[in-house]
Amino acid sequence: MIMRTALRMVASVEGAGHALILLMRTASWLPWLWRKRNETVAQMASCAFGGLLVSLIVGMFSGMVLALQSGNTLQKWGQEELIAIVVPAAMVREMGPVMTGFILAGLVGSTMAAEVGTMSVSEEIDALEVMSINPVYFLALPRVFALALVSPLLTLFADVIGIFGGAFVGDRILGLSYTTYIKHTMDTLELKDIYSGLLKAVVFGILISGVGCSQGMRARGGAEGVGNATMRTVVISFVFILVFDYILTWAVYQ
Amino acid sequence: MPEHVIDIVDLCKNLGGKQILNRLNLQVRKGETFVIIGRSGSGKSVTLKHIVGLLSPDAGKCNVFGIEMGSARRRDAESVRRRIGYLFQGGALLASMNVQENVALPLRELEKMSEDEILKTVRQKLDLVDLDKVEQKMPSELSGGMRKRVGLARAIARNPELVLYDEPTSGLDPIGTAAIDELIMNMKKKLKVTQVVVTHDMASARRIGDRIGLLFDGRIYFTGTPQDLDETQDVVVHQFVHGEVAGPMTEKSGETKRYNVAKTPGKNGEPPGAPEAEKGPETTT
């Protein structure tokens, strides 16, 4: 049991290393991105439609829960107006990008791992190599670039709907008008909060797609191998999101 | 002396702790169809993957068109691969693309051709493999035999000089098998290509092979023409060719050479099944 857990941890660390190497190799193909523009657009559409609805629902309820929890406590001191500062800041800086990252890892990253993994076990990736078509250029480049663009877009949607979720709770439960809430939000939210959140979203998008593609490419042994690749994609992506969230927060706010 | 397109010297490969190839030597001459036969798991596909550089040897050399694939730089390996067509066992068609897109893929990605030229070439190649009105079909809509034909059309799309076939008739009915065999023979006639075919179907091997090599115990154990194969008295070859359960080929024989082969002398008084079989009967091609 302990041995198995240790082996899984080693495999995950190894997988994280492979993902970072794949991302570096993908970066070297960026000058050829225009040749993959159609695939990139198709991947963007697939990522956006795959994650939009869940991002909106999770974003809205995250904002509502934040407002409810902090509002109840702040109300004891007559400071419920502060939710107009707490909720937008928390959504834009942390909740929006991190929750969207988790959603994309679970929905899009795992799908990428399954797609690419199926190609790997059915020798389609070998066929690309034999034809002298680089799989990193052919498969990873459009996927990584697409998710790097779609992730901040979905994060923005989650941020906005989360802030409005907070406003809804403020209006209906805490007796804080929409006008007051929006005024406080506009007064206190800084540009730095927005761009740091979106920067995180871009980085998370790159990491998730890199992990999904690298795990897919390394999948071996039929359906079981594809399943393992999918599971490892989610695990590694979650860890990556949290680690890089801390690093980026430190880099921007320290 | 015939020109060798493939020259493999003392190739060794260990996969998952098992010695798959053990000092394998193989030469394939320009223009011939060489068939590699052997039991499942004996290393036939592994040999093909070394030829295209998908696997690197643990020891030994695998020269293709004069380039050592194991140590070649990526650019050199790609220049060799441009001259090779590879038909995978299941066709390895990209499931997200239709037949036309699959065959056009290497042309679109690697050749500077107009869309009209690409579509014309795709049509020509599909004609060569006797396929009609399948361009818009997805791989999942095709039968096993048709998938292999499309795979072959893609393999020859860029007019390769060497075509490798990995179990081209596995999973096909006898008529489908005969049709694929005929296709392989036609490729040689029409395109003048060198071909290496991996199979364990003896009837196919006899039909299409100019020379046949038996892979056993990690090396080419026997090489000869189909006629040599039928005439040899070697017990290993005899067991494989006739599909007998009892004999030196056991489940363990692929791992270690622990059998005791009772060889009977060949035509020239030399053991016909010696591992150095390249010295054995020569083929007239």
Side-chain angles (χ1 to χ4, degrees):
Chain A
M1 181 72 180
I2 295 169
M3 193 66 186
R4 196 180 296 171
T5 310
L7 284 172
R8 276 190 182 171
M9 281 176 68
V10 170
S12 294
V13 172
E14 196 188 353
H18 275 282
L20 294 176
I21 291 167
L22 177 84
L23 286 171
M24 282 190 271
R25 289 174 61 199
T26 307
S28 72
W29 282 99
L30 270 176
W32 283 269
L33 181 65
W34 66 272
R35 291 189 65 179
K36 290 274 124 204
R37 57 193 179 279
N38 292 340
E39 288 87 342
T40 306
V41 171
Q43 284 296 327
M44 282 177 71
S46 160
C47 296
F49 288 119
L52 182 63
L53 186 64
V54 185
S55 295
L56 292 178
I57 293 169
V58 170
M60 186 173 71
F61 281 96
S62 297
M64 289 169 73
V65 166
L66 265 176
L68 201 57
Q69 288 280 18
S70 52
N72 277 338
T73 309
L74 291 167
Q75 212 170 23
K76 291 175 188 169
W77 290 280
Q79 299 289 317
E80 62 271 21
E81 279 188 17
L82 290 179
I83 65 158
I85 298 168
V86 173
V87 173
M91 280 307 299
V92 171
R93 288 181 184 186
E94 286 299 327
M95 296 292 278
V98 171
M99 296 304 273
T100 308
F102 285 162
I103 291 162
L104 289 176
L107 289 175
V108 180
S110 59
T111 306
M112 282 182 186
E115 271 176 10
V116 179
T118 307
M119 292 181 75
S120 182
V121 297
S122 58
E123 294 188 308
E124 290 175 41
I125 293 180
D126 282 348
L128 290 174
E129 293 237 28
V130 169
M131 286 187 278
S132 294
I133 300 170
N134 193 304
V136 174
Y137 152 78
F138 193 79
L139 297 172
L141 183 64
R143 284 171 171 79
V144 171
F145 197 75
L147 202 56
L149 293 182
V150 166
S151 175
L153 196 69
L154 292 184
T155 299
L156 205 59
F157 288 148
D159 288 348
V160 171
I161 203 158
I163 291 168
F164 276 98
F168 177 78
V169 170
D171 180 65
R172 298 284 156 164
I173 298 174
L174 303 169
L176 186 68
S177 73
Y178 284 110
T179 322
T180 314
Y181 182 96
I182 289 166
K183 186 179 177 303
H184 282 325
T185 300
M186 300 299 278
D187 288 346
T188 53
L189 206 59
E190 292 178 23
L191 196 62
K192 189 178 172 184
D193 297 327
I194 297 169
Y195 82 68
S196 73
L198 295 182
L199 174 70
K200 284 179 183 178
V202 172
V203 173
F204 296 163
I206 292 170
L207 290 169
I208 293 162
S209 51
V211 174
C213 290
S214 76
Q215 285 298 316
M217 284 179 186
R218 298 175 68 220
R220 296 287 179 274
E224 192 188 350
V226 176
N228 286 335
T230 308
M231 183 263 294
R232 270 202 295 272
T233 296
V234 177
V235 173
I236 296 169
S237 297
F238 276 27
V239 174
F240 262 158
I241 287 168
L242 293 173
V243 170
F244 276 80
D245 183 39
Y246 178 81
I247 293 170
L248 290 170
T249 304
W250 179 83
V252 173
Y253 289 99
Q254 289 298 309
Chain B
M1 193 175 166
E3 187 184 341
H4 289 147
V5 171
I6 299 169
D7 185 9
I8 300 177
V9 183
D10 289 339
L11 183 65
C12 296
K13 187 69 184 179
N14 186 305
L15 289 173
K18 189 181 173 189
Q19 194 67 34
I20 304 292
L21 302 179
N22 185 16
R23 296 174 68 88
L24 180 139
N25 290 283
L26 171 68
Q27 284 80 39
V28 177
R29 301 167 194 150
K30 190 175 180 183
E32 77 170 332
T33 298
F34 189 94
V35 180
I36 302 174
I37 55 172
R39 295 195 60 191
S40 300
S42 60
K44 304 187 294 295
S45 299
V46 172
T47 307
L48 282 193
K49 285 184 177 174
H50 278 91
I51 293 171
V52 285
L54 284 177
L55 290 174
S56 301
D58 295 339
K61 289 183 175 176
C62 180
N63 296 298
V64 184
F65 295 116
I67 303 279
E68 209 284 283
M69 294 299 281
S71 59
R73 287 177 304 171
R74 191 174 182 100
R75 188 169 292 183
D76 291 335
E78 283 183 357
S79 74
V80 172
R81 284 180 189 155
R82 278 172 183 260
R83 301 166 74 182
I84 300 176
Y86 194 119
L87 175 61
F88 285 84
Q89 203 169 339
L93 302 176
L94 270 67
S96 56
M97 294 181 170
N98 65 25
V99 168
Q100 187 179 68
E101 289 165 338
N102 261 290
V103 180
L105 181 65
L107 304 173
R108 287 210 172 103
E109 292 293 338
L110 304 161
E111 303 289 343
K112 286 174 183 166
M113 293 170 80
S114 69
E115 193 56 24
D116 283 347
E117 286 173 318
I118 289 172
L119 295 179
K120 195 178 158 195
T121 308
V122 170
R123 189 58 262 154
Q124 279 174 353
K125 302 303 175 188
L126 288 173
D127 282 343
L128 261 175
V129 297
D130 297 330
L131 281 177
D132 193 24
K133 293 176 184 164
V134 293
E135 283 97 328
Q136 302 309 316
K137 288 194 173 176
M138 299 304 284
S140 57
E141 298 174 274
L142 303 175
S143 67
M146 285 168 91
R147 269 204 288 271
K148 284 178 199 271
R149 282 166 188 266
V150 176
L152 181 55
R154 188 180 66 185
I156 60 171
R158 297 171 71 206
N159 303 318
E161 297 161 53
L162 169 65
V163 183
L164 310 175
Y165 302 81
D166 191 359
E167 308 264 10
T169 57
S170 69
L172 298 183
D173 61 72
I175 296 168
T177 300
I180 292 285
D181 287 347
E182 201 175 304
L183 210 56
I184 293 171
M185 290 188 281
N186 281 341
M187 288 298 129
K188 190 186 163 193
K189 258 187 245 165
K190 291 179 184 172
L191 305 178
K192 314 279 182 216
V193 289
T194 307
Q195 306 190 102
V196 178
V197 183
V198 153
T199 186
H200 43 57
D201 182 336
M202 283 311 305
S204 275
R206 285 195 188 92
R207 265 200 295 263
I208 60 180
D210 295 320
R211 285 195 304 151
I212 299 174
L214 173 64
L215 185 55
F216 173 57
D217 220 17
R219 63 187 79 184
I220 296 290
Y221 180 82
F222 171 93
T223 310
T225 62
Q227 195 186 350
D228 295 332
L229 192 79
D230 289 333
E231 288 174 359
T232 183
Q233 299 300 307
D234 184 270
V235 287
V236 173
V237 178
H238 190 272
Q239 185 196 356
F240 184 81
V241 169
H242 294 91
E244 291 165 356
V245 178
M249 272 193 182
T250 62
E251 291 299 326
K252 284 183 180 173
S253 62
E255 294 169 8
T256 326
K257 208 171 182 177
R258 285 181 187 155
Y259 56 90
N260 183 17
V261 181
K263 290 189 176 81
T264 44
K267 280 186 281 190
N268 305 323
E270 59 197 12
E276 296 80 13
E278 285 293 330
K279 295 172 191 168
E282 291 293 319
T283 317
T284 46
T285 52

